[in-house]
Every structure is written in C-alpha cells, then in structure tokens.
Amino acid sequence: MAKKLAIRLVHSPNGRQPVQRKTAAALGFRKLYQTVVREDTPVIRGMVDRIRHLVEVTEVEE
C-alpha cells in the first residue's frame, strides 16, 4: 500500500512570504491546527519542505 503523510499546520502563514502562504493553501490548509492527509510523493515532500517551519509531519499507513 502507498504511504501517506499526515501534515498539521502548527504556525500561521500570515505575515510570511507569499510563496509560503500559497504553498500552505495548495496543500489544503484553511485553518490553524488543521490536519490534511496527502500521498507521500516527491511533489508533496517538496511542498512540505518549503514550509517545514510551519508544519508537523507524520507518516501514516493506509
């Protein structure tokens, strides 16, 4: 089975660079402390790496 990532937004993207705010929105975040589950792909890993200071990531097996 494919691995998934549970990504939780723990710091606000407000006041950050526009590219970081857009990356958070592209991952599906709308609210602080929201958790989204995404496939573990290089594209998603790159997006998470770009905002790594705003999120917590855990691997989930489904």
Side-chain angles (χ1 to χ4, degrees), residues 7-55:
I7 310 163
R8 181 179 173 108
L9 186 65
V10 294
H11 295 284
S12 176
N14 290 345
R16 304 291 178 166
Q17 296 178 0
V19 69
Q20 293 173 355
R21 290 195 305 263
K22 289 178 182 178
T23 302
L27 283 169
F29 291 114
R30 293 175 159 264
K31 297 181 179 181
L32 195 58
Y33 299 109
Q34 180 181 1
T35 301
V36 295
V37 177
R38 298 287 178 255
E39 293 289 330
D40 187 6
T41 64
V43 173
I44 298 297
R45 287 277 183 170
M47 293 171 79
V48 168
D49 186 55
R50 186 168 247 183
I51 60 169
R52 64 186 173 270
H53 55 288
L54 303 177
V55 297

